[in-house]
Protein backbone atom coordinates (compact mmCIF):
# COMPACT_ATOMS: atom_id res chain seq x y z
CA UNK A 1 0.00 0.00 0.00
CA UNK A 2 1.02 3.58 -0.50
CA UNK A 3 2.36 5.73 2.33
CA UNK A 4 3.34 9.37 2.42
CA UNK A 5 5.85 10.71 4.95
CA UNK A 6 6.69 14.23 5.98
CA UNK A 7 9.40 15.52 8.29
CA UNK A 8 9.94 17.16 10.53
CA UNK A 9 6.54 17.07 12.23
CA UNK A 10 7.10 20.42 13.91
CA UNK A 11 9.65 23.17 13.41
CA UNK A 12 10.33 26.51 15.08
CA UNK A 13 12.64 28.78 13.13
CA UNK A 14 13.79 32.40 13.47
CA UNK A 15 13.01 34.96 10.79
CA UNK A 16 15.67 34.99 8.11
CA UNK A 17 16.75 31.38 8.63
CA UNK A 18 16.65 28.76 5.84
CA UNK A 19 14.04 26.02 5.53
CA UNK A 20 13.94 22.51 4.16
CA UNK A 21 10.85 20.29 4.46
CA UNK A 22 10.85 16.82 2.99
CA UNK A 23 8.09 14.63 1.65
CA UNK A 24 8.49 11.06 0.43
CA UNK A 25 5.98 8.62 -1.01
CA UNK A 26 6.23 4.84 -0.84
CA UNK A 27 4.41 2.18 -2.81
CA UNK A 28 3.85 4.05 -6.05
CA UNK A 29 5.86 5.37 -8.96
CA UNK A 30 5.76 8.64 -10.88
CA UNK A 31 3.11 10.22 -8.67
CA UNK A 32 1.90 13.80 -9.08
CA UNK A 33 3.05 15.55 -5.91
CA UNK A 34 1.74 18.71 -4.25
CA UNK A 35 2.75 21.14 -1.50
CA UNK A 36 -0.03 23.03 0.31
CA UNK A 37 0.04 25.54 3.15
CA UNK A 38 -2.76 25.96 5.67
CA UNK A 39 -2.49 29.21 7.59
CA UNK A 40 -4.60 30.07 10.62
CA UNK A 41 -8.08 31.18 9.57
CA UNK A 42 -7.43 30.46 5.91
CA UNK A 43 -8.09 27.53 3.63
CA UNK A 44 -5.51 25.27 2.04
CA UNK A 45 -3.38 27.12 -0.47
CA UNK A 46 -1.60 25.20 -3.23
CA UNK A 47 2.05 26.24 -3.36
CA UNK A 48 3.72 23.88 -5.84
CA UNK A 49 2.97 20.75 -7.80
CA UNK A 50 5.16 18.35 -9.73
CA UNK A 51 4.32 15.82 -12.43
CA UNK A 52 7.82 14.33 -12.56
CA UNK A 53 11.49 14.60 -11.60
CA UNK A 54 12.72 18.15 -12.03
CA UNK A 55 9.28 19.40 -13.10
CA UNK A 56 7.91 22.02 -10.72
CA UNK A 57 5.00 24.39 -11.19
CA UNK A 58 4.45 27.29 -8.83
CA UNK A 59 0.97 28.55 -8.03
CA UNK A 60 1.76 31.45 -5.73
CA UNK A 61 4.72 33.86 -5.93
CA UNK A 62 6.60 33.83 -2.65
CA UNK A 63 10.01 33.29 -1.12
CA UNK A 64 9.56 29.52 -1.15
CA UNK A 65 10.84 27.06 -3.73
CA UNK A 66 10.37 23.36 -4.40
CA UNK A 67 12.48 20.62 -5.90
CA UNK A 68 11.95 17.02 -6.92
CA UNK A 69 15.33 15.33 -7.00
CA UNK A 70 13.90 11.81 -7.09
CA UNK A 71 10.67 10.26 -8.32
CA UNK A 72 9.14 9.91 -4.87
CA UNK A 73 10.78 12.83 -3.06
CA UNK A 74 9.48 16.39 -2.95
CA UNK A 75 11.30 19.13 -1.03
CA UNK A 76 10.08 22.57 0.01
CA UNK A 77 12.75 25.16 0.72
CA UNK A 78 13.38 28.76 1.58
CA UNK A 79 16.58 30.75 1.81
CA UNK A 80 15.16 33.29 4.30
CA UNK A 81 11.97 32.68 6.23
CA UNK A 82 9.40 35.40 6.85
CA UNK A 83 6.90 35.61 9.70
CA UNK A 84 4.15 35.08 7.14
CA UNK A 85 5.61 31.66 6.27
CA UNK A 86 4.23 30.23 9.50
CA UNK A 87 1.60 27.58 8.94
CA UNK A 88 0.82 23.93 8.49
CA UNK A 89 2.52 22.48 5.41
CA UNK A 90 0.97 19.48 3.76
CA UNK A 91 2.32 17.24 1.03
CA UNK A 92 -0.06 15.22 -1.13
CA UNK A 93 -0.06 12.80 -4.05
CA UNK A 94 -2.73 11.74 -6.50
CA UNK A 95 -3.69 8.12 -7.02
CA UNK A 96 -3.94 7.78 -10.79
CA UNK A 97 -6.77 5.27 -11.11
CA UNK A 98 -9.27 7.10 -8.93
CA UNK A 99 -7.87 10.67 -8.97
CA UNK A 100 -8.10 10.65 -5.19
CA UNK A 101 -5.65 12.98 -3.46
CA UNK A 102 -3.92 11.59 -0.37
CA UNK A 103 -2.22 13.79 2.21
CA UNK A 104 0.76 13.37 4.50
CA UNK A 105 0.65 14.09 8.24
CA UNK A 106 1.93 17.65 7.78
CA UNK A 107 4.66 19.87 9.24
CA UNK A 108 3.75 22.64 11.68
CA UNK A 109 6.13 25.56 11.02
CA UNK A 110 6.36 28.51 13.41
CA UNK A 111 8.54 31.43 12.39
CA UNK A 112 9.47 33.72 15.29
CA UNK B 1 -11.28 31.98 -11.06
CA UNK B 2 -12.85 29.06 -9.17
CA UNK B 3 -13.99 29.83 -5.64
CA UNK B 4 -15.25 27.27 -3.16
CA UNK B 5 -17.46 28.24 -0.22
CA UNK B 6 -18.55 26.10 2.69
CA UNK B 7 -21.48 26.95 4.91
CA UNK B 8 -21.76 26.89 7.86
CA UNK B 9 -18.25 27.57 9.13
CA UNK B 10 -19.07 25.71 12.34
CA UNK B 11 -21.84 23.37 13.42
CA UNK B 12 -22.68 21.77 16.75
CA UNK B 13 -25.21 18.94 16.97
CA UNK B 14 -26.26 16.34 19.56
CA UNK B 15 -25.22 12.76 19.01
CA UNK B 16 -27.54 10.76 16.77
CA UNK B 17 -28.68 13.61 14.56
CA UNK B 18 -28.50 13.49 10.80
CA UNK B 19 -26.76 16.51 9.32
CA UNK B 20 -25.86 18.14 6.02
CA UNK B 21 -22.73 20.11 5.17
CA UNK B 22 -22.85 22.41 2.18
CA UNK B 23 -20.28 23.30 -0.45
CA UNK B 24 -20.73 25.67 -3.39
CA UNK B 25 -18.41 26.51 -6.27
CA UNK B 26 -18.50 29.26 -8.86
CA UNK B 27 -17.31 27.46 -12.01
CA UNK B 28 -19.23 24.36 -13.04
CA UNK B 29 -16.40 23.11 -15.30
CA UNK B 30 -14.94 20.79 -12.71
CA UNK B 31 -13.07 17.52 -13.10
CA UNK B 32 -14.26 16.07 -9.81
CA UNK B 33 -15.14 17.02 -6.23
CA UNK B 34 -13.62 15.53 -3.12
CA UNK B 35 -14.63 15.67 0.54
CA UNK B 36 -11.97 15.43 3.23
CA UNK B 37 -11.89 15.21 6.99
CA UNK B 38 -9.21 16.93 9.08
CA UNK B 39 -8.68 16.26 12.77
CA UNK B 40 -6.90 18.97 14.80
CA UNK B 41 -3.19 19.15 13.99
CA UNK B 42 -3.43 16.32 11.48
CA UNK B 43 -3.33 15.89 7.74
CA UNK B 44 -6.40 15.39 5.57
CA UNK B 45 -8.21 12.10 5.15
CA UNK B 46 -10.13 11.53 1.92
CA UNK B 47 -13.77 10.60 2.54
CA UNK B 48 -15.50 10.59 -0.84
CA UNK B 49 -14.68 11.55 -4.41
CA UNK B 50 -17.38 12.31 -6.98
CA UNK B 51 -16.40 12.41 -10.63
CA UNK B 52 -17.99 15.19 -12.68
CA UNK B 53 -20.21 12.66 -14.46
CA UNK B 54 -21.58 11.27 -11.18
CA UNK B 55 -24.41 12.54 -9.00
CA UNK B 56 -23.51 10.97 -5.67
CA UNK B 57 -21.20 8.65 -3.76
CA UNK B 58 -21.81 6.73 -0.56
CA UNK B 59 -19.51 5.28 2.06
CA UNK B 60 -21.04 3.90 5.23
CA UNK B 61 -22.93 6.69 7.01
CA UNK B 62 -21.67 9.29 4.53
CA UNK B 63 -23.36 10.34 1.32
CA UNK B 64 -22.06 13.07 -0.95
CA UNK B 65 -24.06 14.58 -3.79
CA UNK B 66 -23.02 16.75 -6.69
CA UNK B 67 -25.10 19.16 -8.78
CA UNK B 68 -22.72 20.73 -11.26
CA UNK B 69 -25.27 22.94 -12.94
CA UNK B 70 -26.07 24.72 -9.69
CA UNK B 71 -22.49 24.57 -8.42
CA UNK B 72 -23.33 22.67 -5.25
CA UNK B 73 -22.35 19.61 -3.30
CA UNK B 74 -23.62 18.30 0.01
CA UNK B 75 -22.16 15.86 2.49
CA UNK B 76 -24.82 14.01 4.45
CA UNK B 77 -23.80 12.33 7.70
CA UNK B 78 -26.33 9.92 9.17
CA UNK B 79 -26.65 9.15 12.86
CA UNK B 80 -23.77 11.40 13.89
CA UNK B 81 -21.32 10.25 16.57
CA UNK B 82 -18.83 12.15 18.76
CA UNK B 83 -16.05 10.56 16.70
CA UNK B 84 -17.33 12.46 13.67
CA UNK B 85 -16.15 15.71 15.28
CA UNK B 86 -13.60 17.24 12.92
CA UNK B 87 -13.29 19.86 10.20
CA UNK B 88 -14.77 18.79 6.87
CA UNK B 89 -13.25 20.24 3.72
CA UNK B 90 -14.68 20.32 0.23
CA UNK B 91 -12.28 20.52 -2.72
CA UNK B 92 -13.01 20.98 -6.41
CA UNK B 93 -10.70 19.38 -8.94
CA UNK B 94 -9.89 21.61 -11.89
CA UNK B 95 -8.92 20.50 -15.38
CA UNK B 96 -5.30 20.79 -16.39
CA UNK B 97 -4.13 21.78 -19.86
CA UNK B 98 -4.11 18.14 -20.93
CA UNK B 99 -7.74 17.65 -19.94
CA UNK B 100 -7.08 15.43 -16.94
CA UNK B 101 -7.18 16.34 -13.27
CA UNK B 102 -5.37 19.51 -12.35
CA UNK B 103 -5.22 21.11 -8.96
CA UNK B 104 -7.68 21.02 -6.07
CA UNK B 105 -9.29 24.25 -4.90
CA UNK B 106 -10.38 24.00 -1.29
CA UNK B 107 -13.08 25.62 0.75
CA UNK B 108 -12.26 26.82 4.27
CA UNK B 109 -14.12 23.95 5.86
CA UNK B 110 -16.94 23.34 8.29
CA UNK B 111 -15.93 22.57 11.87
CA UNK B 112 -18.32 19.93 13.19
CA UNK B 113 -18.80 19.17 16.86
CA UNK B 114 -21.00 16.24 17.86
CA UNK B 115 -21.99 16.36 21.54
CA UNK B 116 -22.50 13.12 23.47
Amino acid sequence: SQTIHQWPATLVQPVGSPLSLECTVEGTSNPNLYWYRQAAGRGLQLLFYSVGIGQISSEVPQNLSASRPQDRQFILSSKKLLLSDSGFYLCAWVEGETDTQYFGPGTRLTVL
Amino acid sequence: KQEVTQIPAALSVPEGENLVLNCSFTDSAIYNLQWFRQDPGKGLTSLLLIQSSQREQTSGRLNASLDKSSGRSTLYIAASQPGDSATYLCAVGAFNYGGSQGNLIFGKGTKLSVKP
Side-chain angles (χ1 to χ4, degrees):
Chain A
S1 64
Q2 299 86 1
T3 308
I4 182 166
H5 302 280
Q6 286 187 246
W7 63 85
T10 60
L11 192 59
V12 180
Q13 292 283 95
V15 169
S17 63
L19 174 74
S20 181
L21 303 181
E22 188 166 344
C23 169
T24 58
V25 181
E26 296 178 355
T28 186
S29 60
N30 197 32
N32 286 357
L33 296 173
Y34 302 81
W35 276 112
Y36 291 89
R37 177 171 59 202
Q38 190 176 36
R42 301 179 64 179
L44 266 79
Q45 181 184 39
L46 178 66
L47 301 176
F48 300 95
Y49 69 94
S50 171
V51 298
I53 296 174
Q55 301 178 63
I56 309 294
S57 296
S58 173
E59 289 295 303
V60 181
Q62 64 237 311
N63 68 320
L64 300 172
S65 61
S67 62
R68 187 166 175 177
Q70 301 180 41
D71 181 44
R72 286 168 285 182
Q73 184 184 33
F74 204 20
I75 297 173
L76 182 70
S77 304
S78 175
K79 293 182 179 179
K80 288 186 178 181
L81 283 169
L82 306 173
L83 286 174
S84 57
D85 292 324
S86 294
F88 192 46
Y89 288 80
L90 290 159
C91 180
W93 71 282
V94 171
E95 202 264 341
E97 280 194 19
T98 65
D99 292 325
T100 301
Q101 194 154 124
Y102 294 98
F103 284 78
T107 295
R108 174 75 57 188
L109 172 66
T110 303
V111 182
L112 301 175
Chain B
K1 178 185 173 185
Q2 179 74 271
E3 292 184 3
V4 180
T5 304
Q6 291 187 247
I7 295 173
L11 182 63
S12 181
V13 300
E15 182 177 4
E17 271 204 8
N18 302 324
L19 59 101
V20 175
L21 306 181
N22 296 294
C23 172
S24 62
F25 46 95
T26 55
D27 186 348
S28 62
I30 65 171
Y31 189 83
N32 56 29
L33 186 144
Q34 199 165 350
W35 282 93
F36 294 88
R37 167 187 173 138
Q38 185 176 28
D39 293 288
K42 304 292 185 182
L44 277 66
T45 300
S46 177
L47 297 174
L48 290 165
L49 182 146
I50 311 176
Q51 299 291 355
S52 63
S53 59
Q54 296 174 326
R55 297 282 295 183
E56 66 176 347
Q57 282 287 331
T58 298
S59 176
R61 293 183 294 109
L62 305 180
N63 176 277
S65 68
L66 174 64
D67 184 343
K68 273 202 320 178
S69 60
S70 66
R72 293 181 181 179
S73 176
T74 61
L75 179 66
Y76 174 83
I77 302 177
S80 59
Q81 303 169 359
D84 295 330
S85 298
T87 296
Y88 290 81
L89 294 159
C90 166
V92 168
F95 283 92
N96 64 16
Y97 293 116
S100 56
Q101 179 174 305
N103 306 321
L104 291 181
I105 299 103
F106 282 83
K108 293 185 179 181
T110 294
K111 185 174 182 179
L112 173 64
S113 177
V114 181
K115 306 293 187 184

